[in-house]
Structure formats: C-alpha cells, structure tokens
Amino acid sequence: MDYKRVLTVQDISCVGQCSLTVALPIISACGVETAVLPSAVLSTHTAGFSGFTFRDLTEDMPAIAAHWQKENLAFDAIYTGYLGSTEQIDYVKALFDTVLKAGGVRVVDPAMADNGKLYPLFDMAYVEAMKGLCGAADVVVPNLTEACFLTDTPYTEQYDRAYIDDVVAKLHALGAKTVVFTGVSFAAGRTGVLVSEDGAAQYYEHPKRQNSCHGTGDIYASAFVGALVRGKSAVDAARIAADYTVACIDTTAKLDNHWYGAAFEPVLGELIDLLK
C-alpha cells in the first residue's frame, strides 16, 4: 500500500473553517497522512470577528524542523497556505531543502490577497518574498489578485484569454512548473480553474455561485493537494477540488446564518467519492 505523508504549513484559526482546521481534515479524508506546522494560532479568523487573539509561532518553527531532522522524518509533499511574515517564508524554503523527500512535491498557495488588494499587514516586501517561494514551488495555486501581485500585472476584473495567458506565462517565468489558476472567468455566470503545465493549458469551468464563503480558497487548495498526492494528475486534481468546493458552497447556502466559513464537513463523503 502506498501511504503518503503531507506537511502543511499555515495558521490555525480555532473557529472559522479555514487554514489548518480545513487542511487537516480534508487532506486526511483523501487518505493521506497529514502533518502540520502551525505558523500562528488565532481564536478566530480575521474576517468578520472582532477582538480575536493572535499568537505568532515564528520562533517555534526552526526548533520543530530541527527535531524532525533529528528523527529523520520526511514528507512526500509540503503544502503552504497563509504565512504571516517574510521570515516564515524563509523557513518554508529551508523545509523544502531539509525535510522533503527526493522527488517530493512543493505546493504553494500564495494566500495573501483577494479582490484587488493585499490582506491586512502584508506589504510589497512580503510580495517579493512570496515571489521567491513560488519560484521554488512545483505547483502554485493563486487567485487572480495574487497572480497579478506576483507578476507585477495591473489588476482588472475585465479580461480576456490573452490577459490570463500572459499572467500564466509570467508565473512560469518565476520558476513554478505547474500553475493552477483559480477563479478564472471567461463568460458571464461562469467561473473555473485553468491548469498550465508542460507547455499546455486546460480549463475547467462551472456555473458561478451567487453566494460566497470565507475559506473556500483553503478548501480548494487542500482538496487539490489531497487528490494530487493520491496520484491524480494536476488537471484531475483541479477538477475534483473545484467540484468539491462547489458542493461546499451549495451546502452552506442551505444553512441559516453560517456566515463565517463554508460547511465542508457534511460533503466530505462526496470528496472521497470523487477520488474513486
């Protein structure tokens, strides 16, 4: 039996259905052992909650990595989400070199921006550091805003295929081997994901949902990683992750006052079925 182990590096928002509280159960549901390296602990996520607590775990990261090396622990894939500082980005680069198995996969979700703006507390120095991390990745999973920041491309919500192809080419120029470009829309009422690798691109789309949910990017990236490590191609993993994320959004729409995240748990069985 081929039993893989993934390390995911991102924060824990104790309540809010995002980051590690999404990545751990979703990748595990894919049948993959999931190890975690928390970059910070928050009482809740930062979108819509006030007075949340925050503890930075940057200083703990090198000691954790050193212990893994002492124990000869290694991972088949490393998947990064929200990282709180350029220092943490440097630590992740070191993990790529020290605890990733030969031939292991480096997946970077450059979780730093949306809707044309950087997240609070991030600046252009962070963007420059993230460019370096994406350049060291095998797979990058950006949304449109993140892709524009990474490639110094003016952000616009009105674009054509040539615009997207240009951004994708620039992402490859950073060093990323495979680009999984989420939230790409070429027609009204439709959205999807464009996968570019080995000089070819494939696009998978579905009807755009009117309701949006916090944390769907984390759900998507986690499902993608789980499927990819299970042996699916990047294109198939992207399709599975898209279908699962849509199911999560549709399930959430049926709930009353579930504003803080996407209800991914009730449809984990659908993700498992999609993998078969």
Side-chain angles (χ1 to χ4, degrees), residues 1 4 14 42 51 60 75 82 88 107 111 133 140 150 155 160 172 211 219 225 233 237 247:
M1 179 178 179
K4 302 288 189 178
C14 299
L42 294 82
D60 297 280
F75 305 94
Y82 184 99
Q88 290 188 358
V107 181
L133 185 62
V140 294
L150 289 168
Y155 173 81
D160 56 15
H172 282 303
N211 59 309
I219 290 171
V225 169
S233 69

Side-chain angles (χ1 to χ4, degrees), residues 180-243:
V180 180
F181 200 161
T182 64
V184 176
S185 176
F186 294 123
R190 309 286 293 179
T191 190
V193 55
L194 187 145
V195 180
S196 175
E197 61 178 354
D198 298 328
Q202 295 190 52
Y203 180 63
Y204 181 73
E205 68 172 6
H206 52 76
K208 187 174 184 178
R209 268 47 181 181
Q210 295 303 310
N211 59 309
S212 61
C213 303
H214 182 83
T216 51
D218 297 338
I219 290 171
Y220 181 89
S222 299
F224 172 82
V225 169
L228 187 73
V229 174
R230 276 290 301 272
K232 301 295 184 183
S233 69
V235 171
D236 285 342
R239 174 185 53 78
I240 288 168
D243 289 345

